[in-house]
Amino acid sequence: GHELLAAERATSNIPVEKLSELLYTKEVLKRKQCILDVLKSEKVFDKSQNYFGGRIDRFETALARAKKLRNLRLKHRWNLDEYRTALEMISEPGPYGLHESMFLITLREQGTPEQHELFLKKAENYEYIGCYAQTELGHGSNVRGLETTATWNSQDKTFTIHSPHLTASKWWIGSLGRTANWAVVMAQLIIDGTSYGPHPFVVQIRDMKTHEPLENIHVGDIGPKFGYNTMDNGFLLFNHVKVPHIAMLARFSRVEPDTCKYVRRGSPSLVYGTLTWVRSTIVMQAGSVLARGVAIATRYCAIRRQFQDRDASEWEKGENSVLNYTMVQIRLLPLLAATFALHFTGKAMMNLYSENQKKMNASSGNADASKRGAGPEETRSGSDILADLHATSCGLKSLSSTIAAEGLEVCRRACGGHGYSSFSGIGPWYSDYLPTTTWEGDNFMLTQQVARYLLKSARSVASGKAPMNDTTRILSQYISRADIGCAFDILSRDSDIVDAFAWRTAFLTFEALKHRDEHKKPWNDLLVDFYRLSKAHSQYLVVKNFYETLQSPATVSQVDSETLGLLRKLFRLYALHTLEQEASEFYGSGAITIKQISLTRTSAVMKLLKEIRPHAVRLVDAWAFDDWVLDSSLGRFDGKVYEDMFYRASELNPLNKITVDPFPASEVLFKRDERAKSKL
Amino acid sequence: GHELLAAERATSNIPVEKLSELLYTKEVLKRKQCILDVLKSEKVFDKSQNYFGGRIDRFETALARAKKLRNLRLKHRWNLDEYRTALEMISEPGPYGLHESMFLITLREQGTPEQHELFLKKAENYEYIGCYAQTELGHGSNVRGLETTATWNSQDKTFTIHSPHLTASKWWIGSLGRTANWAVVMAQLIIDGTSYGPHPFVVQIRDMKTHEPLENIHVGDIGPKFGYNTMDNGFLLFNHVKVPHIAMLARFSRVEPDTCKYVRRGSPSLVYGTLTWVRSTIVMQAGSVLARGVAIATRYCAIRRQFQDRDASEWEKGENSVLNYTMVQIRLLPLLAATFALHFTGKAMMNLYSENQKKMNASSGNADASKRGAGPEETRSGSDILADLHATSCGLKSLSSTIAAEGLEVCRRACGGHGYSSFSGIGPWYSDYLPTTTWEGDNFMLTQQVARYLLKSARSVASGKAPMNDTTRILSQYISRADIGCAFDILSRDSDIVDAFAWRTAFLTFEALKHRDEHKKPWNDLLVDFYRLSKAHSQYLVVKNFYETLQSPATVSQVDSETLGLLRKLFRLYALHTLEQEASEFYGSGAITIKQISLTRTSAVMKLLKEIRPHAVRLVDAWAFDDWVLDSSLGRFDGKVYEDMFYRASELNPLNKITVDPFPASEVLFKRDERAKSKL
Ligand SMILES: Cc1cc2nc3c(=O)[nH]c(=O)nc-3n(C[C@H](O)[C@H](O)[C@H](O)COP(=O)(O)OP(=O)(O)OC[C@H]3O[C@@H](n4cnc5c(N)ncnc54)[C@H](O)[C@@H]3O)c2cc1C
Ligand SMILES: Cc1cc2nc3c(=O)[nH]c(=O)nc-3n(C[C@H](O)[C@H](O)[C@H](O)COP(=O)(O)OP(=O)(O)OC[C@H]3O[C@@H](n4cnc5c(N)ncnc54)[C@H](O)[C@@H]3O)c2cc1C
């Protein structure tokens, strides 16, 4: 394997380091290396037993790691970014996960200064370990349907938290199962028999000394999952538990203790900002999440040899690298292109987000903000950057996490039988990533938000309003050519590819508008069309962002022209392969001809595969994953795939410490078990 | 949940039992019930801890179950079908898996009577526990590339089995890791320095008493996998191990001990028959494999309520069953249709297979058979039923296992967050099924065989030969209309749908032929086209078989006309949804117009979803999976989803026996561990 990968690297002279710097920046790469060195030197982070442990062993190790990492952070004074880098390299969800994300964020953003003093400080100090308890057994996506109640008691100025039914049990709550002693609990606020919708309450759930559940609280771990088993997702039931007035996080609304009136204050648009931020990070990460799988599969398929080429004349020539088979290339190389496409899109999203935050901060205190209603639905499309950002983040979160999750499975399968081994490193990574397609907005449901936004934008354009942003711009352009049609020279001009994607989005948007506004079709009858529309729009955004990144002076100045040329090929491969997959929509919209589709399929894409193939290994090298991070036999940088597989199976695998009695006539199962011995 | 499912069942009057009988026959249903009763009464088959155990615990239990099952078989005198039914209901791979399949089959089919006496008898008695050791660390698909050698020693008339490199290590071998004491080993036969290709040898690998590996044999389990962890897939290295002359399975070829000559005898076409049979069973099972996931997801989505319909006027109406959302329907109902499509196709395949076996047996001893070369490639297309059967089984194995595997993940995701819990029952089932897409011919590679067959058939048709089977028939029809074109009324005539699928296959076949024979394109450049072609042809076969099953008098006589009407709707849904997914190929072939595609997408498919929706729960009931078999909280027949989730999490989950110390400042991880106690 070793020489084979070396030979692969010799066939290309793409400057790997430069490309890494383009992806991450020099500083980040340096930071990563420092942190990696720290982690590698700590025994608790040794990964060699990761794939063998059962649920409880793995959870125990994850807890030890979480503690150690917290202590390392203090010791090395890591900032949040550095800490996150460490978590990413450890690559497993841990028991402090929700404490460190949603618990702290919610306290910070929704608490008053008094509540910060009381809760947030202790939480930041890990005196309180918390979680974010929103989802229930019966309700996830529909937050308004939550059943847990928080009833205001005017006599003693407390709230009673209660779970009226089994389905009101909190469920799926990360860090709650075994670890947390406090929780932010979303509950229906009830004052005097009237419900005011779900609100956040800070509730102690376990004893600070014994760590046993407090009275009238039933809490525990919800059991094994498809992945994520190092995390203790939990359940939580309340039997009339009283909490003080201060428990309700009161930055945006509160109950006046004296008048018992419900009072709103300010606009929670910042909270929607957070949701958008979370989704943007998902987009941002999708590229590198997928890149792990692509790196592993590409390296392995480069060294894996199987069969001689059918058209090769002499057997002597030896077996072919399976990465040379076009059927392997068509599975892996478009995904390789997608890793860059998603990464650049994520960066662009993040920039958009920061811009918006700046604007919002600039106009804060400004009366305008508080006039806006509670949800993003209330924002004004076409003129409102928050609305655009919200829709973009929904659509891209859905598309990018779907591409990453499904792409990882494609990578795993491309490795043939060995892809099925845990040592491939793809399966476990995939299983842990998979819930991303469901949480922070189920990927199918999010598309309704995108469609709603596009419909509003289309109505605004149709009513003659001038375009205010890119979305309304592409919609107006489409309208302006209603009687002229279009012609996109997709196979010779890159900008035409982007325009063809824009055209299709606009076409589908106005189709949907017609169905909804003219034909008055029920919303539910249009969900499938909306899904398609959102996907089309999001694909347009990815293609556009990839294109623009490669055009930008910042990029052009950072890499040499050969590398830039290769990146442009990756752009074309990503865009044309996507177009080919969705051919009937492009064709149906009139954006391209049948001949163009057929040329794309049989000629353009196949040619790009051939051109990119020699650079494949260097391109995945540019993602700069350390072997320790990948923890994969198949993806080793040095190509020593078989040696590593064999070592893990034969030296590390605890099942081999057991000798069975194989005969059905005997009731003895294990004749000899040397596990205990070797543990010492 | 209970009343909700009852209400679902009340909205349809499809006779569930009749439909079950159509799928399975009355006898099989009765047999299943008997066996189920036996299994349920044995404590070792209790499934309640299945989802919690680590690898070694689960393997231990699986071994106990394997032994018990063997003993039950003896006790109840179960025949092979009954035994398989039991295995299917236990639903986990077990350590005798490869002994009972490939080890016995290979001994039986490739052994001489003398070898039967010596090996097979003992194997059938479980005195020898065996496995089938073909794949190596370095070679899987390319069997000719195997590196293990079996060198003939003329002096003492033995073979020396040897693994010359690390990559020659046998790998992935089911039942080998811990259980087997014998193995059929595929090794390159070398006589006098000349290699005769891979041949099967029967080799003892572990001591019959101590079960320790014999001298110069290094054997063990290959470690944890994405699924299949109750099976001990193993590795095996030989260091010059001598075996006697009788070790080489000699039905089809042998080394003459005196002359040291290699002698072939008879044709191993029976062996290819076995391969075809194995693939046919995969096709057959794909329907019910997928049906488990569809049953679970359909029942759960029927009782899961989330949000009110957006167009509903009053909040009072309560939340909507998520199965009412068209975006859920479009994911689940075409898969529901696919379960029937695949099941009927599998049955048709099996019939074809039996027919062929009969013919082969009738003509055995017949000189014709032995004139045929070794592989299926040597068969004559167009006139040879074996060639057709071989290609059909390759294409359908690939298509059906892909549909089943990917469909299961769609089902899991349709269940939202709860789909991610092991208690959903879909994830574990999916993980165990997944290797089916890779073994018995990797699903991507098999498509080359199909393309090769279609190309040969097309050449035969082009050269003017009269059509001899369905494949050549559709190719000739296409040719005969070369100057006329076609018109298929797919939205009003079901037979036209089948014809449109045939047309697309023929179009793609002749396109591929042009590329290969006229343009002389390299084989490798065409692999992607071949994949498409094979998929197209296999989809045609599924659609055709589904259609014909519903036309056949046997079917018509078994169910009432309303049920038959519903099955026809399922046929249309499956066929039109597939057509819509592949629209650009249909369009490109000239089989249908853009208008038809658009009508299919926005109208025909959506209407079918609406019509099938009320019958969904009864349709999955017809698959007659017992709750014990599904082992799923979400898929319970009685709809008590939440109660069951809660019970498993709160009462059965061993992690809840542990109390942690959550603070990073403390090095204590588990404060209290009550697992041991409760085990007693
Ligand atoms: C590993 C993991 C960790 C989690 N951690 C946390 C946590 O820490 N804290 C927390 O509060 N929650 C957590 N969750 C819960 C998660 O947020 C929810 O599972 C998620 O929001 C999905 O909601 P649901 O399960 O109710 O899906 P459902 O809404 O029940 O969805 C079921 C199906 O119905 C469809 N559907 C539902 N409504 C509609 C509609 N209106 N239109 C069309 N289709 C529809 C969906 O697409 C889906 O196919 C976690 C979940 C997982 C899997
Ligand atoms: C759970 C499990 C159980 C198994 N049990 C057994 C057992 O009991 N006994 C046994 O002998 N084996 C067993 N196997 C091995 C199994 O048969 C092989 O893994 C399988 O045949 C695939 O071969 P491979 O791993 O060599 O894939 P490879 O051939 O290495 O495939 C790697 C990649 O290359 C592609 N590729 C390879 N050649 C070509 C080509 N010519 N053209 C285009 N693409 C190509 C493939 O599509 C794939 O994407 C088992 C495997 C698994 C996962």
Side-chain angles (χ1 to χ4, degrees):
Chain A
H2 187 56
E3 325 75 61
L4 296 174
L5 272 194
E8 284 282 341
R9 293 188 175 108
T11 64
S12 164
N13 40 34
I14 289 302
V16 170
E17 266 178 49
K18 274 263 170 288
L19 202 48
S20 300
E21 287 166 16
L22 178 70
L23 288 169
Y24 296 107
T25 76
K26 240 192 184 104
E27 296 65 47
V28 170
L29 287 166
K30 227 174 102 189
R31 181 175 85 197
K32 284 194 173 196
Q33 193 52 53
C34 293
I35 294 169
L36 186 62
D37 291 340
V38 174
L39 296 178
K40 279 187 182 174
S41 71
E42 297 284 348
K43 224 182 117 202
V44 69
F45 299 117
D46 168 42
K47 296 190 179 187
S48 65
Q49 281 297 312
N50 274 4
Y51 297 139
F52 300 107
R55 170 99 207 274
I56 296 183
D57 299 331
R58 295 211 58 198
F59 175 70
E60 187 173 12
T61 312
L63 181 61
R65 288 172 181 169
K67 290 186 178 195
K68 175 57 96 181
L69 197 64
R70 162 70 187 161
N71 295 326
L72 285 176
R73 182 179 180 181
L74 290 177
K75 180 173 159 196
H76 297 283
R77 297 171 193 276
W78 284 337
N79 64 25
L80 191 57
D81 274 347
E82 288 165 321
Y83 187 64
R84 286 214 180 104
T85 302
L87 282 170
E88 208 182 287
M89 297 207 269
I90 295 170
S91 308
E92 72 182 18
Y96 290 163
L98 272 285
H99 170 78
E100 290 166 347
S101 55
M102 285 302 284
F103 185 62
L104 289 179
I105 290 173
T106 311
L107 290 180
R108 198 172 291 133
E109 296 195 344
Q110 307 203 36
T112 59
E114 191 191 354
Q115 289 171 325
H116 287 171
E117 197 58 36
L118 198 63
F119 304 121
L120 181 60
K121 272 202 172 159
K122 294 215 175 84
E124 284 176 335
N125 259 341
Y126 290 68
E127 291 167 64
Y128 292 175
I129 313 282
C131 61
Y132 181 79
Q134 178 171 303
T135 303
E136 296 173 357
L137 195 43
H139 286 86
S141 340
N142 184 16
V143 179
R144 289 195 223 171
L146 294 179
E147 294 176 286
T148 305
T149 51
T151 309
W152 172 247
N153 308 305
S154 53
Q155 332 79 283
D156 60 0
K157 312 210 186 301
T158 59
F159 299 96
T160 299
I161 312 278
H162 185 58
S163 317
H165 312 289
L166 180 65
T167 46
S169 174
K170 294 294 170 185
W171 205 267
W172 279 114
I173 312 308
S175 306
L176 166 68
R178 303 278 81 201
T179 311
N181 42 30
W182 284 76
V184 166
V185 175
M186 292 297 280
Q188 300 283 356
L189 171 64
I190 296 174
I191 311 173
D192 221 4
T194 306
S195 173
Y196 291 83
H199 284 75
F201 295 82
V202 187
V203 185
Q204 183 180 348
I205 51 171
R206 285 189 171 98
D207 185 85
M208 304 304 286
K209 286 250 167 69
T210 64
H211 203 60
E212 294 297 329
L214 298 184
E215 225 188 322
N216 289 317
I217 286 181
H218 187 42
V219 58
D221 176 89
I222 62 164
K225 294 150 291 188
F226 193 69
Y228 236 72
N229 284 309
T230 45
M231 169 65 94
D232 54 324
N233 293 91
F235 63 81
L236 176 60
L237 274 167
F238 297 98
N239 181 21
H240 296 99
V241 172
K242 276 204 177 184
V243 296
H245 178 259
I246 191 84
M248 179 172 151
L249 288 175
R251 174 145 171 221
F252 299 114
S253 53
R254 58 183 240 126
V255 179
E256 287 294 346
D258 299 326
T259 62
C260 302
K261 284 257 155 64
Y262 175 77
V263 189
R264 273 192 192 235
R265 31 186 194 184
S267 136
S269 64
L270 202 132
V271 178
Y272 292 97
T274 308
L275 270 181
T276 304
W277 181 82
V278 172
R279 290 199 191 106
S280 305
T281 55
I282 292 177
V283 180
M284 182 74 195
Q285 285 159 359
S288 67
V289 164
L290 176 58
R292 287 204 193 192
V294 174
I296 293 169
T298 301
R299 286 179 185 161
Y300 174 64
C301 285
I303 71 113
R304 179 73 171 176
R305 257 118 243 264
Q306 207 80 193
F307 295 101
Q308 198 176 21
D309 191 310
R310 233 180 112 85
D311 290 316
S313 42
E314 330 113 84
W315 174 254
E316 285 64 44
K317 283 195 348 192
E319 288 182 294
N320 206 352
S321 154
V322 301
L323 192 54
N324 290 339
Y325 295 117
T326 55
M327 194 61 225
V328 172
Q329 292 171 8
I330 194 88
R331 287 181 278 156
L332 291 183
L333 300 185
L335 289 177
L336 174 59
T339 63
F340 290 93
L342 293 176
H343 184 78
F344 293 138
T345 303
K347 274 196 169 174
M349 271 291 311
M350 280 298 188
N351 289 343
L352 206 63
Y353 175 79
S354 314
E355 253 176 58
N356 184 47
Q357 287 298 97
K358 265 187 230 145
K359 277 197 201 155
M360 296 227 319
N361 288 342
S363 73
S364 83
N366 179 324
D368 202 42
S370 58
K371 260 193 272 160
R372 185 156 50 208
E377 301 177 21
E378 264 68 30
T379 59
R380 274 159 292 134
S381 301
S383 62
D384 194 321
I385 183 169
L386 183 63
D388 195 54
L389 198 56
H390 171 78
T392 306
S393 77
C394 288
L396 286 174
K397 184 272 174 181
S398 173
L399 179 69
S400 64
S401 60
T402 300
I403 292 176
E406 292 176 1
L408 285 174
E409 169 59 13
V410 171
C411 293
R412 196 197 61 69
R413 223 175 286 178
C415 297
H418 293 334
Y420 196 69
S421 166
S422 299
F423 306 151
S424 79
I426 307 180
W429 178 244
Y430 166 77
S431 306
D432 282 349
Y433 182 71
L434 204 48
T436 313
T437 63
T438 300
W439 67 32
E440 301 303 337
D442 167 270
N443 279 1
F444 296 98
M445 291 170 53
L446 280 178
T447 62
Q448 295 183 44
Q449 314 265 346
V450 184
R452 186 177 302 131
Y453 170 73
L454 289 173
L455 289 183
K456 282 195 188 176
S457 302
R459 285 187 199 112
S460 144
V461 167
S463 74
K465 292 229 179 76
M468 300 283 290
N469 59 17
D470 185 67
T471 307
T472 40
R473 191 183 56 75
I474 65 172
L475 294 175
S476 326
Q477 265 164 14
Y478 177 84
I479 291 276
S480 74
R481 300 190 68 94
D483 298 332
I484 318 172
C486 62
F488 302 111
D489 195 4
I490 54 166
L491 296 179
S492 86
R493 242 197 331 263
D494 288 0
S495 61
D496 274 31
I497 301 181
V498 181
D499 291 342
F501 274 84
W503 181 271
R504 161 181 170 240
T505 296
F507 169 80
L508 291 175
T509 304
F510 287 110
E511 285 288 296
L513 189 68
K514 192 172 69 191
H515 289 313
R516 180 68 179 163
D517 288 3
E518 279 178 43
H519 306 167
K520 307 280 178 212
K521 276 208 192 177
W523 186 260
N524 186 27
D525 284 10
L526 291 170
L527 296 185
V528 181
D529 288 341
F530 290 163
Y531 176 78
R532 287 207 182 89
L533 172 58
S534 168
K535 192 171 163 204
H537 181 56
S538 308
Q539 286 173 339
Y540 158 68
L541 292 172
V542 174
V543 164
K544 175 174 150 260
N545 280 307
F546 199 173
Y547 177 76
E548 286 175 355
T549 302
L550 298 185
Q551 294 295 316
S552 86
T555 310
V556 173
S557 69
Q558 266 188 81
V559 291
D560 62 296
S561 67
E562 204 188 333
T563 306
L564 196 66
L566 183 62
L567 288 173
R568 293 223 167 101
K569 280 178 187 156
L570 287 170
F571 160 76
R572 276 196 288 280
L573 179 60
Y574 178 75
L576 292 177
H577 184 256
T578 303
L579 183 145
E580 191 270 310
Q581 297 284 300
E582 313 281 354
S584 87
E585 274 182 19
F586 279 91
Y587 183 78
S589 77
I592 52 174
T593 67
I594 272 286
K595 180 76 186 169
Q596 283 175 310
I597 295 173
S598 147
L599 286 171
T600 302
R601 180 174 290 175
T602 58
S603 160
V605 166
M606 300 309 286
K607 201 162 150 254
L608 286 165
L609 294 178
K610 210 166 255 171
E611 290 169 354
I612 293 166
R613 161 69 186 92
H615 308 284
V617 169
R618 279 191 179 238
L619 283 168
V620 301
D621 286 350
W623 280 96
F625 297 116
D626 191 87
D627 278 348
W628 189 87
V629 172
L630 290 182
D631 195 18
S632 161
S633 297
L634 304 187
R636 284 174 68 101
F637 185 86
D638 66 5
K640 295 193 170 159
V641 167
Y642 300 121
E643 294 85 340
D644 197 52
M645 293 268 283
F646 197 82
Y647 170 74
R648 295 191 193 226
S650 146
E651 304 300 315
L652 302 180
N653 182 4
L655 187 56
N656 287 327
K657 303 242 178 293
I658 277 154
T659 306
V660 309
D661 179 327
F663 300 109
S666 153
E667 289 205 354
V668 177
L669 299 171
F670 291 173
K671 278 168 111 97
R672 216 148 53 91
D673 184 345
E674 301 178 16
R675 271 180 298 171
K677 253 189 273 174
S678 64
K679 252 200 177 169
L680 304 180
Chain B
H2 187 57
E3 323 77 60
L4 296 174
L5 272 194
E8 283 283 340
R9 292 186 176 110
T11 63
S12 163
N13 41 34
I14 290 301
V16 170
E17 266 178 48
K18 274 263 171 288
L19 203 48
S20 300
E21 287 166 18
L22 178 70
L23 288 169
Y24 297 107
T25 76
K26 241 192 183 101
E27 296 64 47
V28 170
L29 286 166
K30 227 173 105 186
R31 178 175 86 197
K32 284 194 172 195
Q33 193 52 52
C34 293
I35 294 170
L36 186 63
D37 292 339
V38 173
L39 296 178
K40 280 188 184 175
S41 71
E42 296 284 347
K43 223 182 119 202
V44 70
F45 299 118
D46 168 42
K47 297 190 177 187
S48 66
Q49 282 297 314
N50 274 5
Y51 298 139
F52 300 108
R55 171 100 205 275
I56 297 183
D57 300 328
R58 294 210 59 198
F59 174 71
E60 187 173 12
T61 311
L63 181 61
R65 288 173 181 169
K67 291 187 177 194
K68 174 58 95 181
L69 197 63
R70 162 69 187 162
N71 295 325
L72 285 176
R73 182 178 181 183
L74 291 176
K75 179 172 159 197
H76 296 282
R77 297 170 191 277
W78 285 337
N79 64 26
L80 191 57
D81 275 345
E82 288 165 321
Y83 187 64
R84 287 214 179 106
T85 302
L87 282 170
E88 208 181 288
M89 297 208 266
I90 294 170
S91 308
E92 72 182 17
Y96 290 162
L98 273 286
H99 170 79
E100 291 167 347
S101 54
M102 285 301 284
F103 186 63
L104 290 179
I105 290 173
T106 311
L107 292 180
R108 198 171 293 135
E109 296 195 344
Q110 307 204 36
T112 59
E114 190 190 357
Q115 289 171 324
H116 287 172
E117 196 59 36
L118 198 62
F119 304 122
L120 182 60
K121 270 201 175 160
K122 293 215 175 83
E124 284 176 335
N125 259 341
Y126 290 68
E127 290 167 64
Y128 291 177
I129 313 282
C131 60
Y132 181 79
Q134 177 169 303
T135 304
E136 296 172 356
L137 196 42
H139 287 87
S141 339
N142 184 15
V143 179
R144 289 194 225 172
L146 293 178
E147 295 176 285
T148 305
T149 51
T151 310
W152 172 247
N153 308 305
S154 52
Q155 335 78 281
D156 60 359
K157 311 208 186 304
T158 59
F159 299 96
T160 299
I161 312 278
H162 184 58
S163 317
H165 313 287
L166 181 66
T167 46
S169 174
K170 294 294 172 186
W171 205 267
W172 278 115
I173 313 308
S175 306
L176 167 68
R178 302 280 83 201
T179 312
N181 43 28
W182 283 76
V184 166
V185 175
M186 292 296 281
Q188 300 282 357
L189 171 65
I190 296 175
I191 310 173
D192 221 2
T194 306
S195 173
Y196 291 83
H199 284 75
F201 295 82
V202 187
V203 186
Q204 183 180 348
I205 51 172
R206 286 190 171 97
D207 186 85
M208 304 303 286
K209 284 251 167 67
T210 66
H211 203 61
E212 294 298 327
L214 298 184
E215 226 188 321
N216 289 317
I217 285 182
H218 186 41
V219 57
D221 176 89
I222 63 164
K225 294 149 291 187
F226 193 68
Y228 237 71
N229 284 309
T230 43
M231 168 66 93
D232 55 324
N233 294 89
F235 63 81
L236 175 61
L237 275 167
F238 297 97
N239 180 23
H240 298 98
V241 172
K242 278 205 176 183
V243 296
H245 178 260
I246 190 83
M248 180 172 153
L249 289 176
R251 173 144 174 222
F252 299 114
S253 54
R254 59 184 238 125
V255 180
E256 287 293 345
D258 299 325
T259 62
C260 301
K261 283 257 158 62
Y262 176 77
V263 188
R264 272 193 192 235
R265 32 185 193 184
S267 139
S269 63
L270 201 129
V271 178
Y272 293 96
T274 307
L275 269 182
T276 304
W277 180 81
V278 171
R279 292 200 190 107
S280 305
T281 55
I282 291 178
V283 180
M284 182 76 195
Q285 284 160 358
S288 67
V289 164
L290 177 57
R292 286 205 194 191
V294 174
I296 292 170
T298 302
R299 285 180 185 159
Y300 174 64
C301 286
I303 71 111
R304 179 72 170 175
R305 255 118 246 262
Q306 207 80 195
F307 296 101
Q308 198 175 22
D309 191 310
R310 232 179 113 86
D311 290 316
S313 42
E314 331 114 80
W315 175 253
E316 285 63 45
K317 285 196 349 198
E319 290 183 291
N320 206 352
S321 154
V322 302
L323 192 54
N324 290 338
Y325 294 117
T326 54
M327 193 62 225
V328 173
Q329 291 170 10
I330 195 88
R331 290 181 276 156
L332 291 182
L333 300 185
L335 289 177
L336 174 58
T339 62
F340 289 93
L342 294 176
H343 184 79
F344 293 138
T345 304
K347 274 195 170 174
M349 273 288 314
M350 281 298 188
N351 289 343
L352 207 62
Y353 175 78
S354 314
E355 252 176 59
N356 183 47
Q357 287 299 97
K358 264 187 232 145
K359 277 197 202 156
M360 297 225 318
N361 289 342
S363 74
S364 84
N366 178 324
D368 202 41
S370 57
K371 261 191 274 164
R372 185 158 48 210
E377 305 177 21
E378 265 68 29
T379 57
R380 277 158 292 136
S381 299
S383 64
D384 195 321
I385 184 168
L386 184 63
D388 196 55
L389 198 56
H390 172 78
T392 304
S393 77
C394 288
L396 285 175
K397 183 272 176 182
S398 173
L399 179 69
S400 64
S401 61
T402 301
I403 292 177
E406 293 177 359
L408 285 174
E409 170 59 13
V410 170
C411 293
R412 196 197 60 68
R413 222 176 285 178
C415 297
H418 294 333
Y420 197 69
S421 167
S422 300
F423 306 151
S424 79
I426 306 179
W429 179 244
Y430 167 78
S431 307
D432 282 349
Y433 182 71
L434 205 49
T436 312
T437 63
T438 300
W439 66 33
E440 301 304 338
D442 168 271
N443 280 1
F444 295 98
M445 292 170 54
L446 281 179
T447 62
Q448 296 183 44
Q449 314 265 346
V450 184
R452 186 177 301 130
Y453 170 73
L454 289 174
L455 289 182
K456 283 195 188 175
S457 301
R459 286 187 198 110
S460 142
V461 166
S463 75
K465 292 230 179 76
M468 299 284 289
N469 59 17
D470 184 67
T471 305
T472 40
R473 191 183 55 77
I474 65 172
L475 294 175
S476 324
Q477 264 165 12
Y478 176 85
I479 291 274
S480 74
R481 299 191 68 95
D483 299 331
I484 318 171
C486 63
F488 301 112
D489 196 5
I490 54 165
L491 297 178
S492 85
R493 242 196 332 260
D494 289 359
S495 62
D496 274 31
I497 301 180
V498 181
D499 292 342
F501 273 86
W503 182 271
R504 162 182 170 238
T505 296
F507 170 80
L508 292 175
T509 303
F510 286 109
E511 284 289 296
L513 189 68
K514 192 172 68 191
H515 289 312
R516 181 68 179 162
D517 287 3
E518 279 179 41
H519 307 166
K520 307 280 180 210
K521 278 209 190 177
W523 186 261
N524 186 26
D525 285 10
L526 291 171
L527 296 185
V528 181
D529 288 341
F530 291 163
Y531 176 78
R532 286 208 182 89
L533 172 58
S534 168
K535 191 170 162 206
H537 181 57
S538 307
Q539 286 173 339
Y540 157 67
L541 291 172
V542 173
V543 164
K544 174 173 148 268
N545 281 307
F546 198 174
Y547 176 76
E548 285 175 355
T549 303
L550 298 186
Q551 294 295 315
S552 85
T555 311
V556 173
S557 70
Q558 265 190 82
V559 290
D560 61 298
S561 67
E562 204 188 333
T563 305
L564 196 66
L566 182 62
L567 288 173
R568 295 222 167 102
K569 282 178 186 156
L570 287 171
F571 160 76
R572 277 197 288 278
L573 178 61
Y574 178 75
L576 293 177
H577 183 256
T578 303
L579 182 145
E580 190 271 309
Q581 298 282 300
E582 314 280 355
S584 85
E585 276 181 20
F586 280 91
Y587 183 76
S589 77
I592 53 174
T593 67
I594 273 286
K595 180 73 187 172
Q596 282 175 311
I597 294 173
S598 145
L599 286 171
T600 302
R601 180 174 289 175
T602 59
S603 158
V605 166
M606 300 309 286
K607 201 161 149 253
L608 286 165
L609 294 179
K610 209 166 256 172
E611 290 170 355
I612 293 166
R613 163 67 185 96
H615 308 285
V617 169
R618 279 192 178 236
L619 283 169
V620 301
D621 286 350
W623 280 96
F625 297 116
D626 191 88
D627 278 347
W628 190 88
V629 171
L630 291 181
D631 195 16
S632 161
S633 296
L634 304 186
R636 284 174 67 102
F637 185 85
D638 66 6
K640 292 191 174 163
V641 167
Y642 300 119
E643 294 85 339
D644 196 51
M645 294 269 283
F646 196 83
Y647 169 73
R648 294 191 194 226
S650 147
E651 305 299 317
L652 302 180
N653 181 5
L655 187 56
N656 287 327
K657 302 241 179 292
I658 277 155
T659 306
V660 309
D661 179 327
F663 300 110
S666 154
E667 288 203 356
V668 178
L669 298 172
F670 291 174
K671 280 167 110 95
R672 217 147 54 90
D673 185 343
E674 300 180 17
R675 271 180 298 173
K677 249 189 275 173
S678 65
K679 252 200 177 168
L680 306 178

